[in-house]
Structures are given as C-alpha cells and as structure tokens.
Amino acid sequence: MDGLLELAASALRLGIPVAICALGALWSERSGVINIGMEGMMLTGAFWGAAGAFWYGPTAGILLAVAAGLVMALLHAAVTVSGRVDQIVSGVAINILAYGLNRFFGYRIFNMAASSPDVPGLPEISAGGVALSWIVPFAFVLTGLSWLVLTRTGFGLRLQAVGENPAAADAAGISVPVLRYAGVLLGGAFAGLAGAYLSIEHTGMYVEGMTQGKGFIALAALIVGNWNPFGLVGASLLFGLFEAMSFRLVQSQTLPYQFVQMAPYLLTLAVLAGLRGKTRAPAATGQNWSRDET
Amino acid sequence: MQIRPVIEFRGVGKRFAGIAANEDISFAVNQGAVHAVVGENGAGKTTLMNLLAGLYRPDAGNILVRGEPVDFHGPQAAHHAGIGMVHQHFMLVERFTILQNILLSCESSYGLLPQLQARQKVSAICRRLGLTLDLDATVETLPVGLRQRVEIVKLLYRGGDILIFDEPTAVLTPGETADLLELLRSMSQQGKTILYVSHKLSEVLAIADTVSVLRQGRLVGTVGAAETTQGQLVEMMIGRSLTPSAERQTVTAGPLLLALNAVHCRDGRRAKALQGLSLQIRGGEIYGVVGVSGNGQQELTGVVTGEIAPTGGAVKLAGDNIAGMSMPKVRNLGVGLIPEDRDRQGLVGALPVWENMLLGQLRLPQFCHRGILSGAACRNYVAEQVRRFGIRLASIDQPVCSLSGGNRQKVILARELGRQPRVLVASQPVRGLDIGAAEMVHAQMMAAREAGAAVLLISADLDEVLELADRVGVLYAGRIVREFRPGELSPVEIGHYMLGGGQAVKPQ
Ligand SMILES: Nc1ncnc2c1ncn2[C@@H]1O[C@H](COP(=O)(O)OP(=O)(O)O)[C@@H](O)[C@H]1O
Ligand SMILES: [Mg+2]
C-alpha cells in the first residue's frame, strides 16, 4: 500500500509541472497562437525562480519566475501577433534564446554556467506519509479556474472566438490582437510557474536543461487532452505516472536504464498516434491574422 | 406625412490599392423601406455596405444616419447606431453553440455571462419572428439556412433597426429563399429598415421598394421597384442590354477528340463511382452532362483530366489512350479544365494574377529560356489576356484572391483557353457568377467550340446545358443512361432519366 501511495505521489510530483505548462499552452493556443517556446519559457522560469529563491527566498523566486515567463511571452506575442512572424519560427527562436540567456546570466549571477547553488523551497504539505509541494494543490485550483474562465466568462468566450474564427470575432467588435496577447501572456506566466516548481520545489536548484522536454510533452498533453483543461491535466498526470514507473524500473536494474527512460516519451508518442484525427485543435490556431484593409 | 431618410450616402468613395471600389456614391434610404443595392460582381456593393457597417472607413464623402454625419471606427460603433450586417460569408464561430455565438457578439461583459437572461431574450425574439432555434446546437451542425437565422437573431438581439443583408440568398435553396423573403417582409412591417444587396433581379423586384444600381464602383441610378423592369435593371447593371443569346454558328463536326469507353473508377471512399461510362465528343461540339450531383460528375472530370486513374476502360484523346497519365501530361496533350471549385482547384489565392495565369505553362519556350523565366514575355502575354478577357484589376501583381468571383473565373478561363486546348472540361463554370460574367464565360465556351475544341460541360443547371450543348448525356449511377439533343426531351422526361428511369444506351 505504501508503495502505491508513494508511486501516486511521485506521479503527481513529476506530472504537475507538465500540467501547469500545458494549461499555459492551452491559453495560448485557444487564442490562436501556437507556442512551442513553452519549453524555453519554462527553463527561463526555472532559472529566475532559482535566482529569486537564492536571493530572497522561495516566494520571491516564484514571482520572479512568473515575471520572467511573462517577459519571454511578451516577446513571442510581439513577434507573432504584432509582427505576424510565423509562430513556429518564433517559438523555436525563443527556445534557443532561453538557453543562451540562462547560460549568460548563470555566469554573471552564480559564476557557474550549468547550475545554481542549492536554493530553499516552500514548506511542504505532508499527508499520509508523503510530502508534496504547495504548488500541487494550487495547480488543481488553477485547472478549475481555467475551465471556469474559459467557458463561463465573456473573456473566455472572446478568447476562444479569436482562436476559432478571428474574422468573426473582429466583426463582433472584438480586438483580436488584445486577446491574443492576453492568451500568450497567460501562457508565459504558467510556464514560468512550472519552471519555478521544477527548480525551487522539485530539485532545489537550477540545472541546465532541467526541463528535459517537459514543455514539449505539455504540448502533447494539450492534444491528448483535446484542448480541455481537465483532459490535459489528466494526460499530464498520466505522463507523470509513466515517468514515476520508469524510475522504479531503473532502480530495479532489469533493463538498460536508457531504454526505460525512453518509455514515457515513446508511450506519449503512441498515445498521440492512436488519437490521430480524434482530437481537434482550435480552428485558427497557428494562423496570424490581420483585417486586410489597405 | 413626409418620409425621412434614415441613411444618406453623400459622395462616398473608397479605394483599395489605387482601384476605386466606390466612387462618389450618393443616395438615401427611407425609414422602414426595403432598399436593394444591385450590381455585378465587383461593382462595389459589399464595400459600400462595409462602410456603412463600420468595417471600413470612407476615403471621401460622408454617411449620414438619421440626419447626423457618422464616422464609425469599427463595427461596434455601427452597432451602437443600430446598424447590423449579415455578411455574405457568415461571421459565426462554427464550434460555438448558437447561444455562445449570440453572447459573443452581443454581450459586452468580460465577467460571468448572463446565460439565463440571454436565453429568454433570444426566445422572445424567435417567437416574434416565428422561428424555432435550438440554442444549444453547435453551429457547424446547422444547414446554411439556419445559420443565416442565427445571424439575423444576433442583429435583433443587439437592437439593430437598420439591417444589411449582403447576397443573403446566394447560399440558399429555393425553399429557404422564399422563407427568407417572407421574414424580411415581416421585419420591414415591424419598422426595420432593410438594405438588400443582390444581383438576382427577380428577388430584388419581389421584395424591394427602391433599387440603387452600382456599376464599376459608381452609382448608375436609384429607381422605384414598381417603376422598373428586370430588363431595365440589367441594362443599368451592365451598361448595355443583354445580347439575345448569340446566334448559334453551325460548326461542322470535326474529328473525334474525346472518347470514353466503358470507364470504371472508384471515388475517395473506394466505392464504385463510374461504372462503365461511355461517351464521345467531336471537335466543334459541346457535350453537356446533366444529373443529380454525386452520380459521378467529379469522377468524370477526374478521369478526363488525369486526376483519377480509372480502374477499367479507356479514355482516348484524339485516338491515344490517356487513362492513368498524370495531370501535367494530360494538360500538355491539350486538355483544359475549368474546375468546379475555382478557389481550391483553379487558383493559388495568395499568388499574383500573372503567376496564376501562367500556372502549368511556365516551362513553355515562349516564357522560359534554359530554366530562366522571361519576365517581360510573361507580363506582356498576361496583360494581353487581361485585355482580351476584360478582367477588372488594379495590377497583374495583385494577389488573385483580391479579385471578385467573376474576375477570378475569367483568370482561369484566360489561362485554360490561352493554350487553345483540344478538349475543354468545364465543371459548373458559371456557379455563383452574375449575369455579365456568366454571359462572358458562355460566349468564350462557344468561341472554343467554334475554334474546333471538344467541350465537356458538366453542370447542375439544366437550362444552361440545354442552351449551350449540341448533345446532352444524362449521368446516373456512374453511367450515361440517355443521350439526346436539346429539344428532343421535355424537362420532365429528363428529370425521369436523372432519377434512374430508363435503360443505359450505347452512344451511337
Ligand atoms: N479588401 C480589399 N482589398 C483590395 N481590393 C478589394 C477589397 N475588397 C474589395 N476590393 C475590390 O473592390 C472592388 C469591389 O468589390 P466588392 O465591393 O466586393 O464588389 P461586390 O460586392 O459588388 O461584388 C473589386 O474590384 C474588388 O476586387
Ligand atoms: Mg459582394
């Protein structure tokens, strides 16, 4: 029993950053902007989270991480929504930029390129013998809130409309750029939070490349969850479970660990392939928009 | 009692990239009237209505609403003035429900939405209009007729009393059209002012009180519907009277150019689509194919143009079997195509007109030397074709998608006929075009016939086929089940064959 409980807790710990990141990607894509820079934004969040926690403690670290995510998102929004640059190209550039910036500031701040010193985390909640970060329950609150705002408020409806049919939204008097900025910025804030969780809460330090593709897995979770908050959180936790199980397998040393570590990613690919054609992205996602008046 | 104009256009002008879409337009619309705006495609009707609805701002002149000059900065400003528009292309979010669509465009709150009140208000509007709508149905599941109703309810929900309809019947079946006209009449009786944009003159005369005619961006005149006739309106629209369908030249039948022998093929879902279709067309002959859609029309086009490889039988172009050849090969052998869906199959919307006009021909020696395009030769040729076919545009560098539908079709026609094809396949060539453009397309097809081409005309419009074709084949279940010459069978008899009556016949 204890083993099962510990496995569940481990799945939560590993799945929650993916879930938070996927919620962010949801806001961005529902507004019509693909953000494959989520990985880079999360990594930026992880770095500045560690820096903030190092200087002023964990709460400041989280706030700084969210702010850093917002800055990166602002860049993505400016380039794609205002500049109408291809969204994929901009996302790739953000990932590369994040890597370089972290390295640069790593030297300046910690005198180390690839990691930070140990940083303090928030006090943990412990229940039934397992300890979890406060960010875990908070992520579930965010999930419910995201659903509520997206489906039940004027803001959410407008944001969805902009991602489905910007011309129709425009004709209804909605500002497409404003809502797309809002979607992308929300995405950046979530990515920053996910990064802060990784460095401050999960590992206790920043390590270069510590996101390990979780930002991309989040995009897969978004698809598996059919662009629905609850669905994508479920998919993220499933990924967390795969990963938790693979850790256990690695410890048992039955298979070469490289293969075991591949398993969660392969399973994700398999699930994606199986879902082909069964889920549906917002109709206008990936398409930059302008009212063509010359 | 003096009738007051509720809208007045005074010298309104709007240019797009140098071309005048509207120029010096002045007329007034009376309170409670149904005022029609007619004109050919590209005449500037939609542009003028977009100006009134706040989507564009005029470059010249001004618009008065209830006597006050207005300057709308966006559609919302027009909504506040009580002006709403049902666009030619509906402005609905397909994956939203009807209620969500209405909330989206009518509720200004960013917070929690007043779903319950909205429901009641919509129900009240529907009751008043005698409509039934399932508010929780997703728009993508609705037929176009109902989508249009949703647009109308949206306008009324916002409290609009000046309603603009841009070509509302273009997408409707005859039954839905009758219902819509009835609805417009009842709304006008309830005091709404209606601007009705169309180029279907019979509808216009049935519903409108007043008609304003636009031609090439300018106002030709405004007349009372009771004091005018269709003929007079056509003359105003196209600037001349319609030539009574050009006298048919007798063309001596040329050699056998296209022969299909017992052709079989499957459609995309692997079902049998053509099942032993045979037909023969000689040079100088127009062969019309009629039939209920879905009986193999698309596959017939496909096997002749090389898009679909038949699973059996032979397709012979002047005696050579072309079955299974690739499309470019077939084209080079002299098969031209006017595709059914001109925007998806006929043109690359974002590319300029000149490139579209030369698609598939860029390797011909007159345009290209050792793999390098000759810009001047291309441009001269295209400019010449634009003149010959009377294509209205600002520049041949303009993206083709910015032309009106009729002009886009003319680009395709100019491209296909410019290569003097031996066989021309024309699928629904005038669908969605106005009178002037349709007349031009038909005249060009007749010219191709006189030049000795074999023309395969596939159309859902029986009248069109009977007017143009030398011989007609009825397509049913993937076979030509009856051939006749126009005049030999009555429409009722033709309808009988179209629905599967009768036996398959061997062509002569
Ligand atoms: N957004 C636009 N950009 C460039 N040209 C346009 C635009 N909208 C319309 N036009 C041009 O203005 C002219 C009038 O078009 P439109 O108002 O759509 O005509 P109609 O509705 O009568 O068919 C056409 O020549 C068209 O190509
Ligand atoms: Mg129009």
Side-chain angles (χ1 to χ4, degrees), chain B residues 281-298:
Chain B
I281 315 178
R282 296 182 167 275
E285 194 179 33
I286 297 184
Y287 187 98
V289 172
V290 297
V292 178
S293 85
N295 272 290
Q297 282 91 337
Q298 284 182 11

Side-chain angles (χ1 to χ4, degrees), chain A residues 27-28 31 77 155 159 176-188:
Chain A
W27 281 105
S28 180
S31 79
F155 172 74
L159 186 120
V176 177
V178 166
L179 280 147
R180 289 197 163 174
Y181 265 88
V184 176
L185 286 176
L186 274 169

Side-chain angles (χ1 to χ4, degrees), chain B residues 83-236:
Chain B
I83 299 171
M85 177 158 170
V86 174
H87 294 266
Q88 194 168 356
H89 307 286
F90 297 152
M91 293 295 181
L92 294 172
V93 179
E94 303 231 312
R95 278 169 79 181
F96 279 12
T97 63
I98 294 181
L99 187 68
Q100 282 176 318
N101 266 290
I102 292 170
L103 286 166
L104 179 70
S105 58
C106 306
E107 286 298 333
S108 55
S109 151
Y110 272 79
L112 285 176
L113 291 167
Q115 308 237 11
L116 211 63
Q117 287 107 294
R119 241 171 233 283
Q120 287 163 354
K121 195 165 162 189
V122 174
S123 308
I125 293 171
C126 289
R127 258 199 311 283
R128 208 162 64 229
L129 296 180
L131 302 175
T132 40
L133 288 178
D134 171 12
L135 295 188
D136 297 314
T138 316
V139 165
E140 65 190 346
T141 63
L142 303 178
V144 272
L146 276 182
R147 293 184 196 198
Q148 193 171 55
R149 295 296 145 86
V150 177
E151 289 281 24
I152 296 172
V153 171
K154 255 163 64 177
L155 300 191
L156 297 177
Y157 190 104
R158 284 197 292 251
D161 55 5
I162 298 168
L163 310 179
I164 306 168
F165 291 85
D166 193 3
E167 312 240 3
T169 59
V171 290
L172 301 185
T173 64
E176 288 171 328
T177 300
D179 289 348
L180 176 72
L181 294 184
E182 194 48 50
L183 183 62
L184 293 186
R185 245 177 241 123
S186 90
M187 289 197 299
S188 136
Q189 272 152 22
Q190 290 170 22
K192 310 276 181 203
T193 305
I194 291 171
L195 275 142
Y196 186 86
V197 175
S198 181
H199 57 247
K200 295 190 186 162
L201 297 176
S202 53
E203 282 164 19
V204 165
L205 288 178
I207 180 110
D209 303 308
T210 323
V211 186
S212 289
V213 184
L214 300 187
R215 183 170 76 229
Q216 302 197 347
R218 291 175 162 274
L219 182 77
V220 183
T222 299
V223 292
E227 292 102 55
T228 189
T229 62
Q230 280 204 33
Q232 195 189 348
L233 287 177
V234 168
E235 225 175 296
M236 291 170 80

Side-chain angles (χ1 to χ4, degrees), chain A residues 203-266:
Chain A
T203 317
M205 67 191 289
Y206 166 78
V207 182
E208 182 164 70
M210 71 187 307
T211 45
Q212 289 179 316
K214 286 198 165 63
F216 295 110
I217 293 294
L219 298 182
L222 186 63
I223 299 172
V224 173
N226 203 10
W227 287 267
N228 171 298
F230 298 118
L232 63 85
V233 167
S236 304
L237 294 182
L238 198 63
F239 173 80
L241 182 66
F242 291 159
E243 218 184 356
M245 296 199 300
S246 79
F247 280 160
R248 261 136 254 234
L249 266 177
V250 169
Q251 279 158 8
S252 69
Q253 292 190 336
T254 42
L255 275 170
Y257 76 94
Q258 290 92 341
F259 287 101
V260 181
Q261 283 191 333
M262 258 185 245
Y265 298 90
L266 287 177

